[in-house]
Amino acid sequence: MPNHSAFISELYYRPNTSITEFIEVTLKASEDPADYTLSFHTQSGALYSSSNAPGQVGGLLLLSDPNNGVSQNATDPDYNVYTIITRFTTAGARNGESRAVALSNTETGEVIDAYAVGGSNIALTGGPATGTTALRTGTSGSNTTIQWDSDRVKTVAAQTQDASNVVCFCKGSYIETPSGPRNIADLGVGDLVHTLDRGAVAIQWIGVSEWRKDQVKYSDRLRPVLVPAGALGPDVPECDLYVSPQHRMLIQSTDAVCGTT
């Protein structure tokens, strides 16, 4: 992959359907996503503060927002891919659907990419991309998306939405089994593990994802969460437990508190 630090790499838009639309941004893993902002615009080029992109404020969305999915680039591990679930329109911006989107580096003031969904260019008049012309994208077909490489060469290809996250348990975790706690590295498909409501059940599938420290440094969706030994009661857990931010736990206690404390 050429040495460009950030670019809009994919956009999925389908008119008059209820499908999940999205935009993807590819960013060098060594870059701080907090330096990059997506701006959503109306057909007149103004900021669209009613965009349905989760986490946006006033039509602006930090790439580092925890609502954005992030995964390692499949072909180059030096890059991460950020996925933003949001809707677009070729008509006037309405019902949370934006007409145009731009990617800017707010640290340097550079407008990196700007695209208008549909058949005409749009002059942007609001936000960090003010004065930039959003270039028309055209529309994608069924199960295809509009994609760009880092040299801005556009293609229409098979959909590759990638909003994956790290799997539940980090290296070194122990899982309860009928024969006692076992390191996850020693478990395989077919081994029995204890479950909450079904007793001992055989493992059907094991997934593994590997990330470098510089790739998780700026991402709340990738950074493991520590549950210290004894945090949930005497010997619960028995040793420090590291899980992904998406992991869910059932805690039954009169002292349990939901939310931030």
Side-chain angles (χ1 to χ4, degrees):
M1 183 176 287
N3 191 32
H4 296 286
S5 61
F7 59 97
I8 292 176
S9 51
E10 188 166 3
L11 188 150
Y12 187 37
Y13 162 75
R14 292 282 290 143
N16 303 319
T17 66
S18 59
I19 61 169
T20 299
E21 298 172 0
F22 64 89
I23 183 171
E24 286 189 347
V25 174
T26 296
L27 179 69
K28 206 163 189 180
S30 58
E31 292 282 314
D32 185 352
D35 291 339
Y36 294 85
T37 297
L38 284 168
S39 55
F40 300 93
H41 300 263
T42 67
Q43 67 278 10
S44 68
L47 283 175
Y48 185 40
S49 60
S50 297
S51 165
N52 66 0
Q56 71 84 21
V57 177
L60 301 176
L61 175 67
L62 284 175
L63 196 59
S64 58
D65 190 280
N67 290 290
N68 301 334
V70 60
S71 62
Q72 188 180 66
N73 185 277
T75 59
D76 191 332
D78 290 332
Y79 286 79
N80 290 338
V81 178
Y82 294 79
T83 303
I84 297 89
I85 304 299
T86 187
R87 293 185 64 82
F88 296 94
T89 177
T90 56
R94 65 191 190 282
N95 301 324
E97 299 175 334
S98 305
R99 180 64 192 278
V101 62
L103 174 67
S104 304
N105 184 324
T106 48
E107 181 73 15
T108 65
E110 177 189 7
V111 181
I112 299 168
D113 289 318
Y115 296 111
V117 172
S120 59
N121 297 340
I122 294 178
L124 304 183
T125 60
T130 294
T132 301
T133 297
L135 303 178
R136 63 188 181 90
T137 62
T139 57
S140 56
S142 178
N143 298 319
T144 63
T145 60
I146 301 164
Q147 301 175 25
W148 295 268
D149 63 19
S150 60
D151 292 318
R152 280 62 176 180
V153 175
K154 185 179 80 172
T155 59
V156 176
Q159 177 181 341
T160 63
Q161 178 186 349
D162 192 354
S164 61
N165 300 290
V166 291
V167 292
C168 285
F169 298 101
C170 295
K171 182 179 180 180
S173 298
Y174 279 78
I175 304 296
E176 286 288 350
T177 76
S179 59
R182 291 183 59 187
N183 192 305
I184 57 171
D186 299 329
L187 293 172
V189 172
D191 289 339
L192 295 177
V193 295
H194 282 308
T195 64
L196 177 65
D197 52 6
R198 295 181 58 196
V201 174
I203 295 173
Q204 301 296 311
W205 171 85
I206 292 179
V208 178
S209 57
E210 296 183 357
W211 299 86
R212 299 193 309 269
K213 289 183 179 180
D214 61 335
Q215 290 176 301
V216 303
K217 181 178 180 180
Y218 299 111
S219 174
D220 291 338
R221 279 181 170 264
L222 294 179
R223 193 177 302 116
V225 174
L226 167 64
V227 182
L232 305 179
D235 296 324
V236 181
E238 293 183 1
C239 56
D240 287 351
L241 175 65
Y242 288 89
V243 296
S244 68
Q246 296 76 32
H247 193 84
R248 297 294 181 264
M249 295 187 179
L250 176 63
I251 300 175
Q252 295 177 309
S253 170
T254 56
D255 298 325
V257 177
C258 296
T260 302
T261 61

